[in-house]
PDB file of all heavy atoms in Angstrom:
ATOM      1  N   TYR A   1      14.203  -1.345   6.152  1.00  0.00           N
ATOM      2  CA  TYR A   1      15.123  -0.177   6.414  1.00  0.00           C
ATOM      3  C   TYR A   1      16.387  -0.394   5.498  1.00  0.00           C
ATOM      4  O   TYR A   1      16.839   0.494   4.865  1.00  0.00           O
ATOM      5  CB  TYR A   1      15.532  -0.287   7.853  1.00  0.00           C
ATOM      6  CG  TYR A   1      16.716   0.723   8.243  1.00  0.00           C
ATOM      7  CD1 TYR A   1      16.581   2.079   8.288  1.00  0.00           C
ATOM      8  CD2 TYR A   1      17.964   0.102   8.387  1.00  0.00           C
ATOM      9  CE1 TYR A   1      17.717   2.896   8.416  1.00  0.00           C
ATOM     10  CE2 TYR A   1      19.011   0.998   8.703  1.00  0.00           C
ATOM     11  CZ  TYR A   1      18.887   2.318   8.720  1.00  0.00           C
ATOM     12  OH  TYR A   1      19.965   3.140   9.059  1.00  0.00           O
ATOM     13  N   GLU A   2      16.790  -1.656   5.469  1.00  0.00           N
ATOM     14  CA  GLU A   2      18.045  -1.906   4.677  1.00  0.00           C
ATOM     15  C   GLU A   2      17.760  -1.765   3.083  1.00  0.00           C
ATOM     16  O   GLU A   2      18.683  -1.378   2.439  1.00  0.00           O
ATOM     17  CB  GLU A   2      18.472  -3.365   4.876  1.00  0.00           C
ATOM     18  CG  GLU A   2      19.007  -3.743   6.276  1.00  0.00           C
ATOM     19  CD  GLU A   2      19.323  -5.034   6.574  1.00  0.00           C
ATOM     20  OE1 GLU A   2      18.765  -5.974   5.871  1.00  0.00           O
ATOM     21  OE2 GLU A   2      20.296  -5.419   7.479  1.00  0.00           O
ATOM     22  N   ARG A   3      16.562  -1.847   2.785  1.00  0.00           N
ATOM     23  CA  ARG A   3      16.064  -1.671   1.386  1.00  0.00           C
ATOM     24  C   ARG A   3      15.918  -0.047   1.121  1.00  0.00           C
ATOM     25  O   ARG A   3      16.370   0.414   0.008  1.00  0.00           O
ATOM     26  CB  ARG A   3      14.950  -2.450   1.043  1.00  0.00           C
ATOM     27  CG  ARG A   3      14.504  -2.272  -0.545  1.00  0.00           C
ATOM     28  CD  ARG A   3      13.196  -3.072  -0.735  1.00  0.00           C
ATOM     29  NE  ARG A   3      12.101  -2.396  -0.076  1.00  0.00           N
ATOM     30  CZ  ARG A   3      11.174  -2.988   0.694  1.00  0.00           C
ATOM     31  NH1 ARG A   3      11.318  -4.358   0.921  1.00  0.00           N
ATOM     32  NH2 ARG A   3      10.180  -2.302   1.200  1.00  0.00           N
ATOM     33  N   ASP A   4      15.221   0.552   1.951  1.00  0.00           N
ATOM     34  CA  ASP A   4      14.718   1.872   1.660  1.00  0.00           C
ATOM     35  C   ASP A   4      15.115   2.951   2.615  1.00  0.00           C
ATOM     36  O   ASP A   4      15.062   4.149   2.272  1.00  0.00           O
ATOM     37  CB  ASP A   4      13.106   1.876   1.778  1.00  0.00           C
ATOM     38  CG  ASP A   4      12.425   0.882   0.911  1.00  0.00           C
ATOM     39  OD1 ASP A   4      12.998   0.601  -0.153  1.00  0.00           O
ATOM     40  OD2 ASP A   4      11.339   0.451   1.302  1.00  0.00           O
ATOM     41  N   GLY A   5      15.784   2.641   3.602  1.00  0.00           N
ATOM     42  CA  GLY A   5      16.287   3.583   4.583  1.00  0.00           C
ATOM     43  C   GLY A   5      15.107   4.194   5.396  1.00  0.00           C
ATOM     44  O   GLY A   5      15.327   5.253   6.111  1.00  0.00           O
ATOM     45  N   SER A   6      14.001   3.637   5.461  1.00  0.00           N
ATOM     46  CA  SER A   6      12.768   4.053   6.090  1.00  0.00           C
ATOM     47  C   SER A   6      11.893   2.848   6.356  1.00  0.00           C
ATOM     48  O   SER A   6      12.110   1.758   5.914  1.00  0.00           O
ATOM     49  CB  SER A   6      11.983   5.009   5.233  1.00  0.00           C
ATOM     50  OG  SER A   6      11.574   4.445   4.009  1.00  0.00           O
ATOM     51  N   ILE A   7      10.860   3.160   7.199  1.00  0.00           N
ATOM     52  CA  ILE A   7      10.074   1.923   7.720  1.00  0.00           C
ATOM     53  C   ILE A   7       8.604   2.709   7.455  1.00  0.00           C
ATOM     54  O   ILE A   7       8.263   3.595   8.142  1.00  0.00           O
ATOM     55  CB  ILE A   7      10.174   1.478   9.063  1.00  0.00           C
ATOM     56  CG1 ILE A   7      11.606   1.047   9.252  1.00  0.00           C
ATOM     57  CG2 ILE A   7       9.197   0.374   9.343  1.00  0.00           C
ATOM     58  CD1 ILE A   7      11.883   0.690  10.708  1.00  0.00           C
ATOM     59  N   CYS A   8       7.778   2.041   6.579  1.00  0.00           N
ATOM     60  CA  CYS A   8       6.527   2.640   6.366  1.00  0.00           C
ATOM     61  C   CYS A   8       6.389   4.111   6.086  1.00  0.00           C
ATOM     62  O   CYS A   8       5.486   4.868   6.702  1.00  0.00           O
ATOM     63  CB  CYS A   8       5.563   2.184   7.596  1.00  0.00           C
ATOM     64  SG  CYS A   8       5.208   0.481   7.718  1.00  0.00           S
ATOM     65  N   GLY A   9       7.282   4.598   5.482  1.00  0.00           N
ATOM     66  CA  GLY A   9       7.442   5.997   5.042  1.00  0.00           C
ATOM     67  C   GLY A   9       8.082   6.861   6.086  1.00  0.00           C
ATOM     68  O   GLY A   9       8.287   8.047   5.980  1.00  0.00           O
ATOM     69  N   VAL A  10       8.454   6.190   7.281  1.00  0.00           N
ATOM     70  CA  VAL A  10       9.162   7.003   8.359  1.00  0.00           C
ATOM     71  C   VAL A  10      10.768   6.893   8.073  1.00  0.00           C
ATOM     72  O   VAL A  10      11.327   5.823   8.193  1.00  0.00           O
ATOM     73  CB  VAL A  10       8.874   6.480   9.707  1.00  0.00           C
ATOM     74  CG1 VAL A  10       9.663   7.249  10.791  1.00  0.00           C
ATOM     75  CG2 VAL A  10       7.431   6.510   9.902  1.00  0.00           C
ATOM     76  N   ALA A  11      11.349   8.042   7.746  1.00  0.00           N
ATOM     77  CA  ALA A  11      12.704   8.004   7.393  1.00  0.00           C
ATOM     78  C   ALA A  11      13.523   7.895   8.676  1.00  0.00           C
ATOM     79  O   ALA A  11      13.103   8.323   9.822  1.00  0.00           O
ATOM     80  CB  ALA A  11      13.117   9.315   6.820  1.00  0.00           C
ATOM     81  N   LEU A  12      14.604   7.153   8.586  1.00  0.00           N
ATOM     82  CA  LEU A  12      15.443   6.956   9.817  1.00  0.00           C
ATOM     83  C   LEU A  12      16.932   7.166   9.410  1.00  0.00           C
ATOM     84  O   LEU A  12      17.308   7.280   8.222  1.00  0.00           O
ATOM     85  CB  LEU A  12      15.441   5.385  10.234  1.00  0.00           C
ATOM     86  CG  LEU A  12      13.980   4.979  10.701  1.00  0.00           C
ATOM     87  CD1 LEU A  12      13.950   3.407  10.860  1.00  0.00           C
ATOM     88  CD2 LEU A  12      13.836   5.603  12.139  1.00  0.00           C
ATOM     89  N   PRO A  13      17.655   7.489  10.500  1.00  0.00           N
ATOM     90  CA  PRO A  13      19.151   7.812  10.122  1.00  0.00           C
ATOM     91  C   PRO A  13      19.910   6.722   9.505  1.00  0.00           C
ATOM     92  O   PRO A  13      19.522   5.469   9.766  1.00  0.00           O
ATOM     93  CB  PRO A  13      19.791   8.207  11.665  1.00  0.00           C
ATOM     94  CG  PRO A  13      18.557   8.362  12.498  1.00  0.00           C
ATOM     95  CD  PRO A  13      17.429   7.549  11.821  1.00  0.00           C
ATOM     96  N   PRO A  14      20.858   6.842   8.760  1.00  0.00           N
ATOM     97  CA  PRO A  14      21.669   5.787   8.044  1.00  0.00           C
ATOM     98  C   PRO A  14      22.483   5.177   9.118  1.00  0.00           C
ATOM     99  O   PRO A  14      22.893   5.729  10.172  1.00  0.00           O
ATOM    100  CB  PRO A  14      22.390   6.534   6.970  1.00  0.00           C
ATOM    101  CG  PRO A  14      22.649   7.923   7.455  1.00  0.00           C
ATOM    102  CD  PRO A  14      21.400   8.233   8.193  1.00  0.00           C
ATOM    103  N   GLY A  15      22.968   3.886   8.850  1.00  0.00           N
ATOM    104  CA  GLY A  15      23.930   3.167   9.626  1.00  0.00           C
ATOM    105  C   GLY A  15      23.394   2.499  10.909  1.00  0.00           C
ATOM    106  O   GLY A  15      24.122   1.991  11.606  1.00  0.00           O
ATOM    107  N   LEU A  16      21.950   2.379  11.005  1.00  0.00           N
ATOM    108  CA  LEU A  16      21.500   1.699  12.049  1.00  0.00           C
ATOM    109  C   LEU A  16      21.702   0.082  11.955  1.00  0.00           C
ATOM    110  O   LEU A  16      21.675  -0.319  10.758  1.00  0.00           O
ATOM    111  CB  LEU A  16      19.981   1.935  12.259  1.00  0.00           C
ATOM    112  CG  LEU A  16      19.522   3.303  12.682  1.00  0.00           C
ATOM    113  CD1 LEU A  16      18.008   3.430  12.724  1.00  0.00           C
ATOM    114  CD2 LEU A  16      20.145   3.813  13.885  1.00  0.00           C
ATOM    115  N   GLN A  17      21.907  -0.498  13.038  1.00  0.00           N
ATOM    116  CA  GLN A  17      22.291  -1.911  12.948  1.00  0.00           C
ATOM    117  C   GLN A  17      21.029  -2.736  13.461  1.00  0.00           C
ATOM    118  O   GLN A  17      20.129  -2.346  14.067  1.00  0.00           O
ATOM    119  CB  GLN A  17      23.527  -2.325  13.763  1.00  0.00           C
ATOM    120  CG  GLN A  17      24.705  -1.551  13.381  1.00  0.00           C
ATOM    121  CD  GLN A  17      25.882  -2.027  14.320  1.00  0.00           C
ATOM    122  OE1 GLN A  17      26.172  -3.183  14.390  1.00  0.00           O
ATOM    123  NE2 GLN A  17      26.495  -1.050  14.958  1.00  0.00           N
ATOM    124  N   ARG A  18      21.157  -4.052  13.080  1.00  0.00           N
ATOM    125  CA  ARG A  18      20.071  -5.008  13.546  1.00  0.00           C
ATOM    126  C   ARG A  18      19.944  -4.951  15.018  1.00  0.00           C
ATOM    127  O   ARG A  18      20.917  -5.060  15.757  1.00  0.00           O
ATOM    128  CB  ARG A  18      20.437  -6.441  13.163  1.00  0.00           C
ATOM    129  CG  ARG A  18      19.554  -7.480  13.539  1.00  0.00           C
ATOM    130  CD  ARG A  18      20.022  -8.806  13.071  1.00  0.00           C
ATOM    131  NE  ARG A  18      19.001  -9.912  13.320  1.00  0.00           N
ATOM    132  CZ  ARG A  18      19.092 -11.081  12.813  1.00  0.00           C
ATOM    133  NH1 ARG A  18      20.125 -11.489  12.112  1.00  0.00           N
ATOM    134  NH2 ARG A  18      18.026 -11.934  13.086  1.00  0.00           N
ATOM    135  N   GLY A  19      18.793  -4.805  15.627  1.00  0.00           N
ATOM    136  CA  GLY A  19      18.543  -4.857  17.076  1.00  0.00           C
ATOM    137  C   GLY A  19      18.845  -3.571  17.763  1.00  0.00           C
ATOM    138  O   GLY A  19      18.649  -3.495  18.949  1.00  0.00           O
ATOM    139  N   GLU A  20      19.219  -2.574  17.048  1.00  0.00           N
ATOM    140  CA  GLU A  20      19.553  -1.215  17.667  1.00  0.00           C
ATOM    141  C   GLU A  20      18.312  -0.457  17.978  1.00  0.00           C
ATOM    142  O   GLU A  20      17.256  -0.561  17.326  1.00  0.00           O
ATOM    143  CB  GLU A  20      20.299  -0.393  16.644  1.00  0.00           C
ATOM    144  CG  GLU A  20      20.969   0.842  17.334  1.00  0.00           C
ATOM    145  CD  GLU A  20      21.998   1.506  16.432  1.00  0.00           C
ATOM    146  OE1 GLU A  20      22.309   0.933  15.377  1.00  0.00           O
ATOM    147  OE2 GLU A  20      22.466   2.694  16.771  1.00  0.00           O
ATOM    148  N   ALA A  21      18.309   0.250  19.158  1.00  0.00           N
ATOM    149  CA  ALA A  21      17.222   1.094  19.570  1.00  0.00           C
ATOM    150  C   ALA A  21      17.081   2.262  18.529  1.00  0.00           C
ATOM    151  O   ALA A  21      18.082   2.855  18.205  1.00  0.00           O
ATOM    152  CB  ALA A  21      17.477   1.507  20.971  1.00  0.00           C
ATOM    153  N   LEU A  22      15.773   2.473  18.118  1.00  0.00           N
ATOM    154  CA  LEU A  22      15.689   3.642  17.227  1.00  0.00           C
ATOM    155  C   LEU A  22      15.794   4.952  18.096  1.00  0.00           C
ATOM    156  O   LEU A  22      15.623   5.068  19.281  1.00  0.00           O
ATOM    157  CB  LEU A  22      14.242   3.532  16.653  1.00  0.00           C
ATOM    158  CG  LEU A  22      13.901   2.238  15.893  1.00  0.00           C
ATOM    159  CD1 LEU A  22      12.407   2.296  15.424  1.00  0.00           C
ATOM    160  CD2 LEU A  22      14.786   2.124  14.672  1.00  0.00           C
ATOM    161  N   PRO A  23      16.122   6.106  17.298  1.00  0.00           N
ATOM    162  CA  PRO A  23      16.243   7.375  17.998  1.00  0.00           C
ATOM    163  C   PRO A  23      15.071   7.720  18.929  1.00  0.00           C
ATOM    164  O   PRO A  23      15.178   8.301  19.987  1.00  0.00           O
ATOM    165  CB  PRO A  23      16.447   8.401  16.863  1.00  0.00           C
ATOM    166  CG  PRO A  23      16.931   7.527  15.759  1.00  0.00           C
ATOM    167  CD  PRO A  23      16.415   6.173  15.878  1.00  0.00           C
ATOM    168  N   GLU A  24      13.915   7.312  18.465  1.00  0.00           N
ATOM    169  CA  GLU A  24      12.606   7.389  19.261  1.00  0.00           C
ATOM    170  C   GLU A  24      11.733   6.320  18.651  1.00  0.00           C
ATOM    171  O   GLU A  24      11.764   5.945  17.528  1.00  0.00           O
ATOM    172  CB  GLU A  24      11.985   8.772  19.211  1.00  0.00           C
ATOM    173  CG  GLU A  24      11.619   9.368  17.949  1.00  0.00           C
ATOM    174  CD  GLU A  24      11.135  10.757  17.956  1.00  0.00           C
ATOM    175  OE1 GLU A  24      11.138  11.359  19.027  1.00  0.00           O
ATOM    176  OE2 GLU A  24      10.702  11.157  16.904  1.00  0.00           O
ATOM    177  N   PRO A  25      10.674   5.883  19.512  1.00  0.00           N
ATOM    178  CA  PRO A  25       9.653   4.936  18.957  1.00  0.00           C
ATOM    179  C   PRO A  25       8.874   5.558  17.749  1.00  0.00           C
ATOM    180  O   PRO A  25       8.682   6.764  17.686  1.00  0.00           O
ATOM    181  CB  PRO A  25       8.748   4.735  20.216  1.00  0.00           C
ATOM    182  CG  PRO A  25       9.611   5.011  21.298  1.00  0.00           C
ATOM    183  CD  PRO A  25      10.478   6.229  20.899  1.00  0.00           C
ATOM    184  N   ILE A  26       8.653   4.570  16.777  1.00  0.00           N
ATOM    185  CA  ILE A  26       7.880   5.058  15.638  1.00  0.00           C
ATOM    186  C   ILE A  26       6.563   4.310  15.400  1.00  0.00           C
ATOM    187  O   ILE A  26       6.428   3.241  15.972  1.00  0.00           O
ATOM    188  CB  ILE A  26       8.748   4.844  14.372  1.00  0.00           C
ATOM    189  CG1 ILE A  26       9.132   3.511  14.105  1.00  0.00           C
ATOM    190  CG2 ILE A  26      10.004   5.758  14.406  1.00  0.00           C
ATOM    191  CD1 ILE A  26       9.803   3.249  12.776  1.00  0.00           C
ATOM    192  N   PHE A  27       5.685   4.848  14.731  1.00  0.00           N
ATOM    193  CA  PHE A  27       4.346   4.409  14.526  1.00  0.00           C
ATOM    194  C   PHE A  27       4.185   3.843  13.092  1.00  0.00           C
ATOM    195  O   PHE A  27       4.556   4.688  12.086  1.00  0.00           O
ATOM    196  CB  PHE A  27       3.334   5.415  14.682  1.00  0.00           C
ATOM    197  CG  PHE A  27       1.870   5.006  14.348  1.00  0.00           C
ATOM    198  CD1 PHE A  27       1.187   4.103  15.251  1.00  0.00           C
ATOM    199  CD2 PHE A  27       1.183   5.522  13.329  1.00  0.00           C
ATOM    200  CE1 PHE A  27      -0.071   3.774  14.986  1.00  0.00           C
ATOM    201  CE2 PHE A  27      -0.100   5.145  13.067  1.00  0.00           C
ATOM    202  CZ  PHE A  27      -0.845   4.319  13.820  1.00  0.00           C
ATOM    203  N   THR A  28       4.004   2.562  12.808  1.00  0.00           N
ATOM    204  CA  THR A  28       4.044   1.949  11.559  1.00  0.00           C
ATOM    205  C   THR A  28       2.770   1.192  11.364  1.00  0.00           C
ATOM    206  O   THR A  28       2.703  -0.036  11.684  1.00  0.00           O
ATOM    207  CB  THR A  28       5.162   1.074  11.306  1.00  0.00           C
ATOM    208  OG1 THR A  28       5.285   0.126  12.140  1.00  0.00           O
ATOM    209  CG2 THR A  28       6.464   1.929  11.423  1.00  0.00           C
ATOM    210  N   PRO A  29       1.670   1.851  10.752  1.00  0.00           N
ATOM    211  CA  PRO A  29       0.332   1.079  10.679  1.00  0.00           C
ATOM    212  C   PRO A  29       0.390   0.054   9.627  1.00  0.00           C
ATOM    213  O   PRO A  29       1.148   0.029   8.711  1.00  0.00           O
ATOM    214  CB  PRO A  29      -0.607   2.264  10.444  1.00  0.00           C
ATOM    215  CG  PRO A  29       0.218   3.304   9.619  1.00  0.00           C
ATOM    216  CD  PRO A  29       1.686   3.167  10.306  1.00  0.00           C
ATOM    217  N   ALA A  30      -0.680  -0.966   9.801  1.00  0.00           N
ATOM    218  CA  ALA A  30      -0.790  -1.907   8.844  1.00  0.00           C
ATOM    219  C   ALA A  30      -2.312  -2.082   8.640  1.00  0.00           C
ATOM    220  O   ALA A  30      -3.023  -2.075   9.600  1.00  0.00           O
ATOM    221  CB  ALA A  30      -0.205  -3.267   9.314  1.00  0.00           C
ATOM    222  N   ALA A  31      -2.604  -2.268   7.415  1.00  0.00           N
ATOM    223  CA  ALA A  31      -4.114  -2.557   6.968  1.00  0.00           C
ATOM    224  C   ALA A  31      -4.403  -3.907   7.418  1.00  0.00           C
ATOM    225  O   ALA A  31      -3.688  -4.864   6.922  1.00  0.00           O
ATOM    226  CB  ALA A  31      -4.331  -2.247   5.538  1.00  0.00           C
ATOM    227  N   LYS A  32      -5.480  -4.166   8.108  1.00  0.00           N
ATOM    228  CA  LYS A  32      -5.772  -5.618   8.574  1.00  0.00           C
ATOM    229  C   LYS A  32      -6.262  -6.297   7.341  1.00  0.00           C
ATOM    230  O   LYS A  32      -7.072  -5.873   6.548  1.00  0.00           O
ATOM    231  CB  LYS A  32      -6.913  -5.409   9.700  1.00  0.00           C
ATOM    232  CG  LYS A  32      -6.347  -4.911  10.935  1.00  0.00           C
ATOM    233  CD  LYS A  32      -7.284  -4.529  11.964  1.00  0.00           C
ATOM    234  CE  LYS A  32      -8.150  -5.883  12.391  1.00  0.00           C
ATOM    235  NZ  LYS A  32      -9.034  -5.547  13.548  1.00  0.00           N
TER     236      LYS A  32
END
């Protein structure tokens, strides 16, 4: 998030801090 402003392509609002609750839960898949 600090690098891209997003997580796994999910855009997030600017200014979020470490440990902060996200506006809503997000889905971020990973290839096993």
Side-chain angles (χ1 to χ4, degrees):
Y1 170 76
E2 291 177 337
R3 185 187 67 229
D4 303 330
S6 62
I7 304 172
C8 291
V10 180
L12 294 172
L16 297 178
Q17 300 182 59
R18 179 178 190 172
E20 187 168 353
L22 301 177
E24 60 181 9
I26 62 173
F27 177 74
T28 60
K32 292 169 64 173

